[in-house]
Amino acid sequence: MRYVDEYRDAGKARALAASIASLCEPGRSYKFMEVCGGHTHTIYKHGLEDYLPENVTLVHGPGCPVCVIPMGRVDDTIHIAEQPGVIMTSFGDMMRVPGGRGSFFDSKAQGADIRMVYSPLDALKIARTNPDKKVVFMAIGFETTAPSTAMTMLRAKAEGLKNFSIFCNHVTIIPAIKAILDSPDLRLDGFIGPGHVSTVIGCRPYDFIARTYGKPLVVAGFEPLDILQSIHMLLTQLAEGRSEVENQYGRVVPWDGNPKALKVINETMELRPYFEWRGLGSISHSALRVRDAHAEFDAERIFEIPGVRVADPKACQCGEVLKGVLKPWECKVFGTACTPETPIGTCMVSSEGACAAYYNFGRFSRERVREATHG
Amino acid sequence: MNHCEGDHCVTCSDEAVRVTVVRLLGDDLAETDVGGGRTEEVSVALVDVSVGDVILVHAKEAIGVVS
């Protein structure tokens, strides 16, 4: 398949792995964070950690949008869904995310009209065919999905739809990376930068990571060879004493991003003063809300939102996993009380969540390593 | 329950879907080949595309063109 097979060649992967090993200084350890959940998924699915020397560790970052939604926002969504005449729409992965009062599925079972959609455009179609209902789209995601939400609002405005609104939970990636860099828990040597967020925002917003924090960042694609090559590029920078922003994913990511997408986001949404992230706490200017000019599509102004902060379950250590402080299997409830079928924490829900990715693909190889080590 | 198709998640995952433009439909929409003989209508309002281009789609909105 074009754009796929050539990036999964095992021979090339082995050659890259050998080259990666040769770049590592003996006795030095390297810790790189892959910011994006899509990368985490690829790393576990293709067993990429097995290709790396023992002194190169990959740490999973906060770039799974489902994982960083705090429980309070799940409860707020359910509250809106329970109002008379409301049809709530949401991406599929959100349906199972546990809130303080259960998940969307639980609420649906109790009578709320919550429907899974593949895009906000699908929610718009539901609004057109149900003029007597108030249709709300629960919008989540980084800069990759914000353009879709923005365009949908503009389309709704052009059509003069009066029964459609957005419950905006979009977050932005740069403040989350900065929060991680400022966290005293973690010492990182570099970043594997998010590929498709960068399609929208470009590579320039990462400059401060290289300049102020002195860490290299390589924007990477999602195939196994993309990620191995990005690790190779990071190690090359470190070996040469450089810290720069580089773009491994040039076949997709323009250096300046997608100006049209940035324009529609900016036209319809603005930064919130602060927003709570699961595991990272409240981060200033890290999320988007609907602008005044589009208030008619803002569910937060149409409905009364409880906005109650709900503490995560005590057993759940998603926060530490999201910051890369803990590996998924180091969480006390991983794979026992918390599984993809009955998740306690968000990281076990989405296929991009570190815990779900590791549960689905990684745990067997780890068991093999353990057996080999302990006989 | 899993809402994923192939390697990507239907959610706002950072791993967008690659599809090929089959026909431009007007109103900034396009019919795309999503593989397996299936087609899907997506918005191409934010990219400059022609028939045959491979585009990256997130939540049915094209955000980039694969070169």
Side-chain angles (χ1 to χ4, degrees), chain A residues 3 8 36 41 45 65 91-93 96 105 116 118-119 122 140 144-145 147-148 151 155 194-197 199 222 251-252 258 260 351-352, chain B residues 1 3-5 7 9-16 18 27-29 43 45-48 54 56 58-67:
Chain A
Y3 297 123
R8 295 187 181 181
C36 168
H41 184 89
K45 182 174 181 190
F91 288 129
D93 272 9
R96 290 179 301 135
F105 271 135
M116 192 191 103
Y118 286 88
S119 77
D122 294 340
I140 62 161
T144 40
T145 36
S148 177
M151 278 308 300
R155 284 177 191 274
H196 293 146
V197 160
T199 308
F222 292 87
R251 66 187 186 276
V252 170
N258 181 333
K260 280 187 185 174
S351 69
E352 297 211 348
Chain B
M1 189 165 183
H3 298 296
C4 300
E5 291 182 0
D7 283 350
C9 211
V10 296
T11 251
C12 38
S13 51
D14 196 33
E15 191 179 17
R18 279 186 209 91
D27 196 24
D28 286 333
L29 298 171
S43 166
L46 305 177
V47 289
D48 296 318
V54 176
L56 282 174
H58 251 274
K60 294 196 181 176
E61 187 72 52
I63 57 167
V65 182
V66 182
S67 58

Side-chain angles (χ1 to χ4, degrees), chain A residues 311-317 332:
Chain A
D312 289 339
K314 277 191 180 155
C316 172
Q317 294 181 286
K332 292 185 207 77

Side-chain angles (χ1 to χ4, degrees), chain A residues 26 94 260 280 320 328 336 370:
Chain A
M94 275 308 300
K260 280 187 185 174
L280 300 177
E320 282 76 14
T336 52
R370 201 181 296 132

Side-chain angles (χ1 to χ4, degrees), chain A residues 274-287:
Chain A
Y274 59 88
F275 190 76
E276 191 196 338
W277 292 55
R278 181 180 273 236
L280 300 177
S282 194
I283 306 178
S284 67
H285 301 98
S286 65

Side-chain angles (χ1 to χ4, degrees), chain A residues 7-258:
Chain A
Y7 296 100
R8 295 187 181 181
D9 185 297
K12 284 181 185 161
R14 279 191 287 273
L16 258 176
S19 188
I20 284 171
S22 70
L23 279 169
C24 294
E25 279 177 41
R28 180 175 174 183
S29 63
Y30 301 87
K31 201 178 258 189
F32 301 127
M33 173 175 277
E34 86 274 5
V35 176
C36 168
H39 287 147
T40 306
H41 184 89
T42 301
I43 288 162
Y44 281 135
K45 182 174 181 190
H46 295 276
L48 294 187
E49 286 181 317
D50 295 344
Y51 279 81
L52 300 176
E54 277 188 4
N55 55 339
V56 176
T57 311
L58 298 179
V59 177
H60 320 303
C64 160
V66 169
C67 305
V68 298
I69 284 284
M71 291 177 85
R73 297 296 280 190
V74 176
D75 287 0
D76 288 345
T77 311
I78 290 173
H79 176 82
I80 299 171
E82 288 172 343
Q83 302 308 305
V86 167
I87 299 175
M88 178 61 71
T89 56
S90 160
F91 288 129
D93 272 9
M94 275 308 300
M95 299 295 283
R96 290 179 301 135
V97 174
R101 301 172 45 207
S103 67
F104 293 179
F105 271 135
D106 296 327
S107 176
K108 191 175 167 67
Q110 287 159 15
D113 192 347
I114 306 183
R115 304 183 190 181
M116 192 191 103
V117 291
Y118 286 88
S119 77
L121 281 177
D122 294 340
L124 206 59
K125 278 183 194 160
I126 294 173
R128 283 188 205 114
T129 50
N130 293 274
D132 56 331
K133 300 277 189 183
K134 295 174 201 159
V135 177
V136 185
F137 175 67
M138 198 275 188
I140 62 161
F142 288 92
E143 288 90 338
T144 40
T145 36
S148 177
T149 302
M151 278 308 300
T152 305
M153 265 191 275
L154 293 175
R155 284 177 191 274
K157 192 157 202 160
E159 288 180 33
L161 272 180
K162 300 290 181 202
N163 66 326
F164 177 76
S165 61
I166 299 283
F167 182 42
C168 190
N169 293 279
H170 282 296
V171 284
T172 57
I173 197 72
I174 296 294
I177 296 178
K178 190 166 183 310
I180 284 164
L181 281 164
D182 289 335
S183 163
D185 299 339
L186 199 59
R187 187 195 63 81
L188 292 168
D189 296 289
F191 290 89
I192 299 172
H196 293 146
V197 160
S198 308
T199 308
V200 176
I201 68 172
C203 301
R204 293 186 198 282
Y206 306 116
D207 278 348
F208 77 98
I209 298 170
R211 271 208 317 265
T212 311
Y213 291 88
K215 310 283 183 192
L217 180 143
V218 175
V219 172
F222 292 87
E223 294 300 330
L225 290 186
D226 287 325
I227 293 175
L228 288 176
Q229 191 185 13
S230 302
I231 294 166
H232 190 275
M233 289 166 76
L234 286 168
L235 286 166
T236 303
Q237 285 201 38
L238 291 174
E240 294 172 358
R242 292 185 289 124
S243 63
E244 294 169 11
V245 177
E246 293 181 322
N247 184 9
Q248 182 276 335
Y249 201 27
R251 66 187 186 276
V252 170
V253 175
W255 195 259
D256 291 319
N258 181 333

